[in-house]
Amino acid sequence: MPAFAIQADRDQLVVDRLGAAFPEAVLAQEQFHDMRCFTVRKESLHDILRFLRDELDFNFLTTLCGMHYPATEGNEDQLGLVIHLHSFRNRHRIRLKANTPLKDPAFPTFTDLWPATNWMEREAFDFYGLTFTGHPNLKRILNMEDFPAFPMRKDYPLEDPTREDKNDSMFGR
Amino acid sequence: MSKEIAKPDFWQHDLVPPAEHRELNVLNLGPTHPATHGIFQNVLTMDGEYIQSAEQTIGYIHRAFEKIAERRPFYQITTLTDRMNYCSAPINNMGWHMTVEKLLRIETPKRVDYMRIIAMELARIADHIVCNAVIGVDTGALTGFTFIFQDREFIYEIFEEIAARASPPTWAASVASSATSTISPGAKPSTSWTTSPRS
Protein backbone atom coordinates (compact mmCIF):
# COMPACT_ATOMS: atom_id res chain seq x y z
CA MET A 1 0.00 0.00 0.00
CA PRO A 2 1.85 3.10 -1.14
CA ALA A 3 1.85 5.99 1.26
CA PHE A 4 1.10 8.27 -1.66
CA ALA A 5 -1.06 7.14 -4.53
CA ILE A 6 0.57 7.45 -7.91
CA GLN A 7 -0.61 10.68 -9.48
CA ALA A 8 -0.17 9.92 -13.14
CA ASP A 9 -1.62 13.24 -14.29
CA ARG A 10 0.69 15.27 -12.05
CA ASP A 11 3.64 13.13 -13.09
CA GLN A 12 2.77 13.75 -16.72
CA LEU A 13 2.47 17.48 -16.07
CA VAL A 14 5.97 17.55 -14.59
CA VAL A 15 7.31 15.50 -17.50
CA ASP A 16 5.73 17.87 -20.04
CA ARG A 17 6.68 21.13 -18.36
CA LEU A 18 10.20 19.98 -17.56
CA GLY A 19 10.70 18.66 -21.07
CA ALA A 20 9.48 21.93 -22.55
CA ALA A 21 11.56 24.17 -20.29
CA PHE A 22 14.76 22.06 -20.26
CA PRO A 23 14.73 19.92 -23.41
CA GLU A 24 18.46 19.16 -23.19
CA ALA A 25 18.78 18.72 -19.47
CA VAL A 26 16.56 15.71 -18.69
CA LEU A 27 18.66 12.67 -19.51
CA ALA A 28 16.39 9.88 -18.35
CA GLN A 29 13.27 9.20 -16.37
CA GLU A 30 11.70 6.18 -14.79
CA GLN A 31 8.77 5.24 -12.63
CA PHE A 32 9.96 3.40 -9.53
CA HIS A 33 6.95 2.34 -7.46
CA ASP A 34 5.08 5.45 -6.43
CA MET A 35 7.73 8.00 -7.41
CA ARG A 36 8.79 9.45 -10.72
CA CYS A 37 12.54 9.79 -11.00
CA PHE A 38 14.35 12.19 -13.32
CA THR A 39 18.05 11.99 -14.10
CA VAL A 40 19.20 15.45 -15.11
CA ARG A 41 22.37 17.19 -16.17
CA LYS A 42 24.41 18.49 -13.29
CA GLU A 43 24.82 21.92 -14.87
CA SER A 44 21.05 22.43 -15.07
CA LEU A 45 20.14 21.01 -11.67
CA HIS A 46 19.98 24.34 -9.90
CA ASP A 47 17.83 25.93 -12.61
CA ILE A 48 15.53 22.89 -12.67
CA LEU A 49 15.05 23.02 -8.92
CA ARG A 50 14.22 26.70 -9.08
CA PHE A 51 11.77 25.99 -11.88
CA LEU A 52 10.10 23.15 -9.97
CA ARG A 53 9.83 25.26 -6.84
CA ASP A 54 8.48 28.41 -8.48
CA GLU A 55 6.47 27.06 -11.40
CA LEU A 56 5.29 23.61 -10.31
CA ASP A 57 4.69 24.21 -6.61
CA PHE A 58 7.27 21.83 -5.17
CA ASN A 59 7.64 23.84 -2.02
CA PHE A 60 9.45 21.31 0.16
CA LEU A 61 12.82 19.67 -0.32
CA THR A 62 12.45 16.41 1.59
CA THR A 63 16.01 15.19 1.38
CA LEU A 64 19.29 15.68 -0.37
CA CYS A 65 21.82 12.87 -0.30
CA GLY A 66 25.02 11.77 -1.99
CA MET A 67 25.66 8.61 -4.01
CA HIS A 68 28.77 6.79 -5.13
CA TYR A 69 29.02 4.42 -8.08
CA PRO A 70 32.40 2.67 -8.00
CA ALA A 71 34.42 2.36 -11.17
CA THR A 72 33.48 -0.52 -13.41
CA GLU A 73 35.07 -1.66 -16.63
CA GLY A 74 34.98 1.27 -19.02
CA ASN A 75 33.39 3.59 -16.48
CA GLU A 76 35.07 5.94 -14.07
CA ASP A 77 34.02 6.52 -10.48
CA GLN A 78 30.83 8.54 -10.38
CA LEU A 79 29.43 10.59 -7.57
CA GLY A 80 25.82 11.61 -7.57
CA LEU A 81 23.19 13.60 -5.82
CA VAL A 82 19.61 12.51 -5.05
CA ILE A 83 16.99 15.09 -4.23
CA HIS A 84 13.41 14.37 -3.20
CA LEU A 85 10.88 17.13 -3.74
CA HIS A 86 7.43 17.28 -2.23
CA SER A 87 4.50 19.43 -3.19
CA PHE A 88 2.30 19.72 -0.12
CA ARG A 89 -0.55 21.29 -2.05
CA ASN A 90 -0.68 18.64 -4.74
CA ARG A 91 0.37 15.75 -2.48
CA HIS A 92 2.95 14.85 -5.05
CA ARG A 93 6.54 13.73 -4.77
CA ILE A 94 9.32 13.38 -7.32
CA ARG A 95 12.95 12.39 -7.21
CA LEU A 96 15.84 14.01 -9.06
CA LYS A 97 19.29 12.57 -9.66
CA ALA A 98 22.41 14.11 -11.09
CA ASN A 99 25.77 12.47 -11.59
CA THR A 100 29.25 13.90 -11.70
CA PRO A 101 32.69 12.35 -12.15
CA LEU A 102 34.64 11.74 -8.96
CA LYS A 103 37.36 14.09 -10.19
CA ASP A 104 34.91 17.00 -10.39
CA PRO A 105 32.68 16.72 -7.33
CA ALA A 106 31.39 20.31 -7.38
CA PHE A 107 27.70 21.17 -7.42
CA PRO A 108 26.26 24.65 -6.98
CA THR A 109 24.79 25.19 -3.54
CA PHE A 110 21.01 24.98 -3.13
CA THR A 111 20.93 26.98 0.08
CA ASP A 112 19.66 30.00 -1.85
CA LEU A 113 16.55 28.00 -2.82
CA TRP A 114 16.00 26.04 0.40
CA PRO A 115 18.06 27.16 3.43
CA ALA A 116 17.42 23.72 4.97
CA THR A 117 19.84 22.16 2.48
CA ASN A 118 22.69 23.73 4.46
CA TRP A 119 23.17 20.73 6.74
CA MET A 120 22.24 18.19 4.07
CA GLU A 121 24.97 19.54 1.80
CA ARG A 122 27.42 19.41 4.68
CA GLU A 123 26.46 15.76 5.16
CA ALA A 124 26.97 14.99 1.47
CA PHE A 125 30.36 16.68 1.69
CA ASP A 126 31.24 14.84 4.87
CA PHE A 127 30.37 11.36 3.63
CA TYR A 128 30.87 11.49 -0.14
CA GLY A 129 33.25 14.40 -0.72
CA LEU A 130 30.80 16.34 -2.84
CA THR A 131 31.45 20.07 -2.72
CA PHE A 132 28.86 22.80 -3.05
CA THR A 133 30.05 26.05 -4.59
CA GLY A 134 28.74 29.01 -2.65
CA HIS A 135 27.81 27.09 0.49
CA PRO A 136 28.10 29.40 3.52
CA ASN A 137 29.75 26.89 5.87
CA LEU A 138 30.93 23.79 4.05
CA LYS A 139 32.68 21.62 6.63
CA ARG A 140 32.19 18.18 8.12
CA ILE A 141 29.01 17.82 10.12
CA LEU A 142 28.97 14.33 11.68
CA ASN A 143 32.51 12.99 11.44
CA MET A 144 35.32 14.61 13.34
CA GLU A 145 36.97 17.56 11.63
CA ASP A 146 40.29 15.84 10.88
CA PHE A 147 38.70 12.61 9.58
CA PRO A 148 40.95 11.49 6.72
CA ALA A 149 38.39 10.00 4.30
CA PHE A 150 34.90 10.17 2.86
CA PRO A 151 33.47 7.08 4.54
CA MET A 152 30.29 6.44 2.55
CA ARG A 153 32.22 5.92 -0.66
CA LYS A 154 32.10 2.27 -1.58
CA ASP A 155 35.87 1.84 -1.51
CA TYR A 156 36.01 2.79 2.18
CA PRO A 157 36.10 -0.38 4.28
CA LEU A 158 33.37 -1.11 6.80
CA GLU A 159 35.62 -1.31 9.82
CA ASP A 160 37.46 1.91 10.47
CA PRO A 161 41.13 1.49 9.42
CA THR A 162 42.10 4.65 11.28
CA ARG A 163 41.43 2.99 14.64
CA GLU A 164 44.47 1.56 16.39
CA ASP A 165 42.76 0.53 19.62
CA LYS A 166 40.90 -2.41 18.08
CA ASN A 167 42.37 -5.43 16.33
CA ASP A 168 41.10 -8.77 15.11
CA SER A 169 41.50 -10.46 18.50
CA MET A 170 38.73 -8.24 19.85
CA PHE A 171 36.34 -9.73 17.33
CA GLY A 172 37.43 -13.34 17.85
CA ARG A 173 39.38 -13.57 14.59
CA MET B 1 26.58 46.88 57.22
CA SER B 2 27.98 50.28 56.58
CA LYS B 3 26.10 52.72 54.45
CA GLU B 4 28.98 53.15 52.07
CA ILE B 5 28.84 49.60 50.70
CA ALA B 6 25.13 49.83 50.06
CA LYS B 7 25.40 53.04 48.03
CA PRO B 8 23.64 52.37 44.72
CA ASP B 9 25.94 54.38 42.46
CA PHE B 10 28.94 52.52 43.88
CA TRP B 11 27.54 49.16 42.73
CA GLN B 12 26.49 50.43 39.36
CA HIS B 13 29.85 51.91 38.69
CA ASP B 14 31.59 48.73 39.68
CA LEU B 15 29.49 46.07 37.94
CA VAL B 16 28.30 47.52 34.66
CA PRO B 17 31.31 47.94 32.40
CA PRO B 18 31.42 50.94 30.10
CA ALA B 19 30.23 50.22 26.58
CA GLU B 20 33.69 50.42 25.00
CA HIS B 21 34.89 47.52 27.17
CA ARG B 22 32.23 45.03 26.07
CA GLU B 23 33.52 41.94 24.38
CA LEU B 24 32.16 38.61 23.19
CA ASN B 25 32.85 35.40 25.08
CA VAL B 26 32.92 31.85 23.78
CA LEU B 27 30.96 29.42 25.93
CA ASN B 28 30.91 25.65 25.45
CA LEU B 29 27.44 24.32 26.18
CA GLY B 30 28.12 20.61 26.37
CA PRO B 31 29.03 18.12 25.06
CA THR B 32 26.60 16.53 27.46
CA HIS B 33 26.72 12.98 28.72
CA PRO B 34 25.09 10.34 26.47
CA ALA B 35 22.66 9.42 29.25
CA THR B 36 21.03 12.81 28.80
CA HIS B 37 19.39 11.56 25.58
CA GLY B 38 21.49 12.79 22.74
CA ILE B 39 25.03 13.98 23.23
CA PHE B 40 25.29 17.39 21.70
CA GLN B 41 27.60 20.36 21.86
CA ASN B 42 26.87 24.02 21.26
CA VAL B 43 29.73 26.49 20.98
CA LEU B 44 28.03 29.74 21.85
CA THR B 45 29.29 33.25 21.19
CA MET B 46 27.94 35.28 24.07
CA ASP B 47 27.45 39.00 24.48
CA GLY B 48 26.90 38.99 28.22
CA GLU B 49 23.88 36.77 28.67
CA TYR B 50 22.76 37.10 25.06
CA ILE B 51 23.63 34.41 22.52
CA GLN B 52 25.01 36.01 19.38
CA SER B 53 25.64 32.82 17.44
CA ALA B 54 25.81 29.08 18.00
CA GLU B 55 27.87 26.41 16.31
CA GLN B 56 26.60 22.85 16.75
CA THR B 57 28.48 19.58 16.94
CA ILE B 58 25.88 16.92 16.27
CA GLY B 59 27.91 13.86 15.29
CA TYR B 60 28.72 12.29 18.65
CA ILE B 61 26.13 9.54 18.38
CA HIS B 62 26.33 8.94 14.65
CA ARG B 63 26.69 5.19 14.38
CA ALA B 64 27.21 4.57 10.65
CA PHE B 65 24.08 2.47 10.17
CA GLU B 66 24.16 3.17 6.41
CA LYS B 67 27.70 1.88 6.12
CA ILE B 68 26.93 -1.25 8.14
CA ALA B 69 23.86 -1.83 5.96
CA GLU B 70 26.03 -1.99 2.86
CA ARG B 71 27.42 -5.42 3.65
CA ARG B 72 25.00 -7.22 5.96
CA PRO B 73 21.86 -9.28 5.30
CA PHE B 74 18.77 -7.13 5.59
CA TYR B 75 17.47 -8.85 8.71
CA GLN B 76 20.62 -7.88 10.59
CA ILE B 77 19.80 -4.24 9.92
CA THR B 78 16.31 -4.55 11.42
CA THR B 79 17.83 -4.63 14.89
CA LEU B 80 19.77 -1.46 14.13
CA THR B 81 16.62 0.37 13.04
CA ASP B 82 15.17 -0.47 16.45
CA ARG B 83 17.85 1.69 18.03
CA MET B 84 17.19 4.76 15.92
CA ASN B 85 14.32 5.61 18.19
CA TYR B 86 13.78 2.98 20.82
CA CYS B 87 10.51 4.57 21.95
CA SER B 88 8.79 3.81 18.65
CA ALA B 89 11.06 1.12 17.26
CA PRO B 90 8.38 -0.62 15.13
CA ILE B 91 7.99 2.47 12.97
CA ASN B 92 11.66 2.37 12.05
CA ASN B 93 11.42 -1.39 11.46
CA MET B 94 8.59 -0.76 9.00
CA GLY B 95 10.55 1.95 7.24
CA TRP B 96 13.45 -0.42 6.67
CA HIS B 97 11.36 -3.43 5.68
CA MET B 98 9.14 -1.45 3.32
CA THR B 99 12.29 -0.17 1.63
CA VAL B 100 13.62 -3.70 1.22
CA GLU B 101 10.25 -4.85 -0.11
CA LYS B 102 10.25 -2.03 -2.66
CA LEU B 103 13.72 -3.01 -3.83
CA LEU B 104 12.76 -6.69 -4.07
CA ARG B 105 9.37 -5.78 -5.60
CA ILE B 106 7.50 -7.71 -2.91
CA GLU B 107 3.82 -6.96 -2.48
CA THR B 108 2.55 -7.55 1.02
CA PRO B 109 -0.96 -8.89 1.71
CA LYS B 110 -3.61 -6.41 2.79
CA ARG B 111 -3.67 -7.99 6.25
CA VAL B 112 0.01 -7.19 6.74
CA ASP B 113 -0.58 -3.59 5.72
CA TYR B 114 -3.36 -3.21 8.27
CA MET B 115 -1.39 -4.88 11.03
CA ARG B 116 1.57 -2.64 10.33
CA ILE B 117 -0.58 0.48 10.47
CA ILE B 118 -2.00 -0.63 13.83
CA ALA B 119 1.47 -1.47 15.12
CA MET B 120 2.88 1.85 14.01
CA GLU B 121 0.00 3.78 15.53
CA LEU B 122 0.45 1.99 18.86
CA ALA B 123 4.16 2.73 18.71
CA ARG B 124 3.48 6.37 17.95
CA ILE B 125 1.11 6.66 20.91
CA ALA B 126 3.63 4.93 23.17
CA ASP B 127 6.33 7.29 21.96
CA HIS B 128 4.22 10.34 22.68
CA ILE B 129 3.48 9.00 26.15
CA VAL B 130 7.21 8.67 26.81
CA CYS B 131 7.91 12.08 25.31
CA ASN B 132 5.35 13.92 27.36
CA ALA B 133 6.09 11.96 30.53
CA VAL B 134 9.79 12.74 30.26
CA ILE B 135 9.08 16.42 29.76
CA GLY B 136 7.44 16.14 33.17
CA VAL B 137 10.56 14.51 34.62
CA ASP B 138 12.78 17.20 33.15
CA THR B 139 10.66 19.82 34.87
CA GLY B 140 10.76 17.93 38.18
CA ALA B 141 7.44 16.05 38.07
CA LEU B 142 8.39 12.41 38.48
CA THR B 143 4.91 11.36 39.60
CA GLY B 144 3.30 12.04 36.23
CA PHE B 145 5.98 9.95 34.61
CA THR B 146 5.20 6.89 36.70
CA PHE B 147 1.45 7.29 36.22
CA ILE B 148 1.47 7.70 32.47
CA PHE B 149 3.96 4.88 31.99
CA GLN B 150 1.25 2.43 33.07
CA ASP B 151 -0.59 3.24 29.86
CA ARG B 152 2.50 2.64 27.81
CA GLU B 153 2.76 -0.71 29.54
CA PHE B 154 -0.57 -1.77 27.97
CA ILE B 155 0.92 -1.15 24.55
CA TYR B 156 4.15 -2.94 25.38
CA GLU B 157 2.17 -5.98 26.45
CA ILE B 158 0.66 -6.07 22.96
CA PHE B 159 4.17 -5.77 21.54
CA GLU B 160 5.21 -8.75 23.64
CA GLU B 161 2.32 -10.82 22.32
CA ILE B 162 3.52 -10.40 18.75
CA ALA B 163 7.27 -10.00 18.96
CA ALA B 164 8.00 -11.94 22.17
CA ARG B 165 9.83 -8.95 23.60
CA ALA B 166 8.87 -5.40 24.22
CA SER B 167 11.78 -3.02 24.00
CA PRO B 168 12.83 -2.90 21.26
CA PRO B 169 10.54 -5.46 19.67
CA THR B 170 12.33 -5.93 16.30
CA TRP B 171 8.92 -6.18 14.94
CA ALA B 172 8.56 -6.25 11.18
CA ALA B 173 9.34 -9.91 10.60
CA SER B 174 7.02 -10.94 13.44
CA VAL B 175 4.14 -8.95 12.02
CA ALA B 176 4.61 -10.44 8.59
CA SER B 177 4.72 -14.02 9.87
CA SER B 178 1.80 -13.72 12.25
CA ALA B 179 -0.30 -11.95 9.65
CA THR B 180 0.10 -14.73 7.14
CA SER B 181 -0.49 -17.51 9.63
CA THR B 182 -3.82 -19.22 10.07
CA ILE B 183 -5.03 -17.30 13.13
CA SER B 184 -8.60 -16.25 12.51
CA PRO B 185 -9.41 -12.57 13.03
CA GLY B 186 -11.55 -13.22 16.09
CA ALA B 187 -9.09 -15.49 17.89
CA LYS B 188 -8.11 -14.52 21.41
CA PRO B 189 -4.40 -14.33 22.27
CA SER B 190 -3.17 -17.20 24.41
CA THR B 191 -2.63 -14.94 27.41
CA SER B 192 -5.10 -12.17 27.99
CA TRP B 193 -3.21 -8.95 28.58
CA THR B 194 -6.39 -7.03 29.26
CA THR B 195 -7.20 -8.90 32.44
CA SER B 196 -3.71 -9.65 33.77
CA PRO B 197 -3.00 -8.07 37.14
CA ARG B 198 -1.03 -4.85 36.99
CA SER B 199 2.26 -4.76 38.79
Side-chain angles (χ1 to χ4, degrees):
Chain A
M1 189 164 59
F4 285 78
I6 295 173
Q7 297 209 35
D9 52 336
R10 300 248 26 130
D11 282 335
Q12 194 57 45
L13 179 74
V14 175
V15 171
D16 294 342
R17 294 287 302 275
L18 213 53
F22 301 92
E24 303 290 312
V26 181
L27 300 174
Q29 49 173 300
E30 60 168 337
Q31 182 82 29
F32 188 75
H33 289 270
D34 52 345
M35 263 170 109
R36 197 85 183 176
C37 176
F38 299 90
T39 307
V40 302
R41 253 183 231 291
K42 167 189 154 187
E43 294 78 19
S44 314
L45 184 57
H46 192 278
D47 292 338
I48 288 175
L49 284 174
R50 186 193 296 279
F51 175 80
L52 289 169
R53 186 191 69 167
D54 295 340
E55 304 290 326
L56 290 172
D57 221 5
F58 284 97
N59 59 325
F60 187 71
L61 187 141
T62 312
T63 186
L64 177 150
C65 181
M67 298 186 289
H68 177 217
Y69 295 100
T72 54
E73 213 171 315
N75 289 314
E76 288 188 328
D77 272 77
Q78 291 268 317
L79 290 177
L81 202 61
V82 196
I83 293 172
H84 288 205
L85 294 182
H86 190 155
S87 170
F88 285 159
R89 192 170 304 157
N90 302 317
R91 304 181 66 193
H92 186 217
R93 299 194 299 170
I94 59 167
R95 184 188 299 134
L96 291 157
K97 289 182 186 175
N99 289 326
T100 183
L102 185 72
K103 294 169 191 158
D104 176 27
F107 279 91
T109 185
F110 306 108
T111 47
D112 52 335
L113 301 175
W114 284 280
T117 57
N118 186 323
W119 281 17
M120 299 180 195
E121 286 173 10
R122 281 177 66 188
E123 190 199 19
F125 166 71
D126 191 353
F127 284 91
Y128 293 90
L130 290 164
T131 59
F132 294 89
T133 315
H135 189 284
N137 186 24
L138 192 66
K139 58 180 190 179
R140 288 185 184 273
I141 184 167
L142 289 168
N143 288 305
M144 58 188 185
E145 279 166 28
D146 52 351
F147 196 76
F150 298 116
M152 279 300 285
R153 289 187 181 171
K154 294 288 187 288
D155 48 10
Y156 188 81
L158 177 61
E159 278 161 26
D160 187 348
T162 61
R163 292 285 289 267
E164 292 174 356
D165 54 336
K166 287 183 176 177
N167 56 32
D168 281 356
S169 67
M170 291 182 166
F171 301 102
R173 292 187 292 242
Chain B
M1 294 231 329
S2 75
K3 285 181 179 174
E4 280 171 343
I5 291 176
K7 266 168 77 176
D9 58 333
F10 169 80
W11 287 108
Q12 274 185 2
H13 179 75
D14 201 38
L15 290 183
V16 179
E20 62 266 27
H21 288 157
R22 292 171 85 90
E23 59 182 43
L24 302 178
N25 294 316
V26 175
L27 179 68
N28 275 300
L29 189 68
T32 45
H33 191 269
T36 54
H37 292 175
I39 187 167
F40 178 46
Q41 182 191 27
N42 265 303
V43 182
L44 307 175
T45 307
M46 307 287 291
D47 177 11
E49 291 185 343
Y50 292 92
I51 298 169
Q52 296 291 332
S53 71
E55 184 71 36
Q56 293 82 27
T57 311
I58 61 170
Y60 285 106
I61 50 172
H62 184 259
R63 284 166 285 190
F65 288 162
E66 309 100 304
K67 193 69 186 174
I68 297 168
E70 276 179 7
R71 287 168 186 273
R72 302 275 165 97
F74 79 91
Y75 49 82
Q76 292 191 342
I77 309 305
T78 312
T79 54
L80 299 183
T81 60
D82 278 326
R83 273 80 181 168
M84 287 177 179
N85 178 357
Y86 53 78
C87 295
S88 52
I91 298 179
N92 293 307
N93 295 160
M94 304 307 168
W96 168 247
H97 276 249
M98 285 157 80
T99 307
V100 172
E101 284 156 11
K102 266 191 182 178
L103 285 170
L104 297 175
R105 297 178 189 279
I106 294 170
E107 284 203 11
T108 48
K110 201 84 177 162
R111 184 175 160 86
V112 171
D113 292 338
Y114 280 121
M115 285 192 74
R116 284 180 171 177
I117 295 282
I118 293 166
M120 285 194 276
E121 271 299 286
L122 287 172
R124 183 185 64 80
I125 294 164
D127 195 335
H128 287 172
I129 287 173
V130 176
C131 178
N132 289 312
V134 170
I135 286 173
V137 173
D138 290 345
T139 53
L142 196 67
T143 315
F145 176 78
T146 53
F147 266 101
I148 204 168
F149 251 49
Q150 295 183 16
D151 296 318
R152 190 188 75 146
E153 209 55 35
F154 278 126
I155 293 171
Y156 272 34
E157 281 169 24
I158 301 172
F159 285 8
E160 280 177 9
E161 290 290 336
I162 298 180
R165 59 176 185 154
S167 179
T170 313
W171 189 308
S174 313
V175 168
S177 60
S178 61
T180 48
S181 67
T182 53
I183 301 169
S184 65
K188 287 256 162 48
S190 54
T191 55
S192 175
W193 57 271
T194 48
T195 54
S196 63
R198 307 291 300 282
S199 57

